[in-house]
Amino acid sequence: MAADTAGPARTRFELKSASLPVVAVLLRSPDPELLASELAERLQDDPGFFDNDAVLIDLASLREWQEPIDFPALCAVLRTHATLPVAVRGGSPEQMSAAVAAGLAAAPDAAPARTASAPREVVHEIEVVREVPVPGLATVVIDKPLRSGQQVYARGADLVVLAVVSFGAEVIADGNIHVYAPLRGRAIAGARGNTEARIFTTCMEPQLVSIAGIYRTTEVAIPPEVLGKPAQVRLDGEKLLIEPL
């Protein structure tokens, strides 16, 4: 038999890290019919809101639910609105097992804490939490802290955040942004060109602020009279102004 002189065979694939946006759906009822009804009502004015977006089903509010959850039926409802249910988190062990049996991946509730070590490159998965505004309402309210890597977009609405926006998190609104806590991440108001939009916070410490595409980063120092204090950001022509409240 002739010797193989071609050398080691090339691998036919590569393994690489990837970050994908995912829509987190926090279920407060396991009833597929109720979910179908509420989705139809909320999306009636914008049926194309989803575009085959990946969906993570959050069971944190149903963890104590004792009855079996019909995951195939819930996934079927979500698919009718151009979403792709791919994972589940926050459920009891029994709920998670049932979800995995239905073809969903088990996602961790939170990333494990890391001990101090030498500097190294870290790849972060990005979780996008998209709020679906209820028709007729002009404000989206977030009452939980936003961690690094999370993003919230108030489409066609103002955004009110009642907890800290951590370094690395991002809040976006087509209208105004109100943060009644420290703003340490990125805040983008007037995302669709509204030059009258403003950003308000009780503690101004942002990585980036932007209104209608005009932005300012930490490369330009924030004046000491507003740093860490209640302040607002507004647009004056093509210049961003950061003023005390």
Side-chain angles (χ1 to χ4, degrees), residues 10-103:
R10 291 184 178 179
T11 57
R12 303 304 178 190
F13 63 90
E14 294 183 21
L15 299 176
K16 295 183 177 181
S17 297
S19 296
L20 296 174
V22 57
V23 179
V25 176
L26 177 62
L27 291 183
R28 302 191 185 281
S29 168
D31 186 344
E33 293 184 1
L34 183 58
L35 175 63
S37 174
E38 291 194 357
L39 278 174
E41 180 182 354
R42 293 193 178 198
L43 300 179
Q44 63 182 347
D45 292 336
D46 191 4
F49 181 78
F50 295 113
D51 184 15
N52 292 320
D53 296 309
V55 164
L56 181 147
I57 300 174
D58 193 329
L59 299 174
S61 296
L62 298 176
R63 188 177 180 87
E64 303 303 321
W65 188 268
Q66 298 300 317
E67 300 297 325
I69 296 177
D70 190 345
F71 288 103
L74 290 172
C75 291
V77 170
L78 290 168
R79 291 190 187 100
T80 63
H81 292 281
T83 69
L84 300 174
V86 295
V88 65
R89 73 176 178 191
S92 66
E94 295 78 11
Q95 291 169 346
M96 297 298 287
S97 295
V100 171

Side-chain angles (χ1 to χ4, degrees), residues 109-191:
D109 292 347
R114 296 183 181 272
T115 56
S117 60
R120 60 175 176 171
E121 182 180 1
V122 178
V123 178
H124 295 284
E125 292 294 330
I126 297 177
E127 178 186 355
V128 178
V129 182
R130 181 182 300 170
E131 292 295 322
V132 183
V134 178
L137 297 183
T139 304
V140 172
V141 179
I142 302 297
D143 57 8
K144 295 182 179 180
L146 293 177
R147 304 186 305 272
S148 177
Q150 287 186 303
Q151 180 194 77
V152 174
Y153 174 30
R155 184 175 184 175
D158 288 349
L159 177 62
V160 176
V161 184
L162 303 178
V164 62
V165 178
S166 300
F167 186 90
E170 187 171 68
V171 288
I172 306 172
D174 289 344
N176 302 306
I177 294 176
H178 302 257
V179 181
Y180 296 106
L183 170 58
R184 294 171 181 152
R186 297 180 291 272
I188 301 171

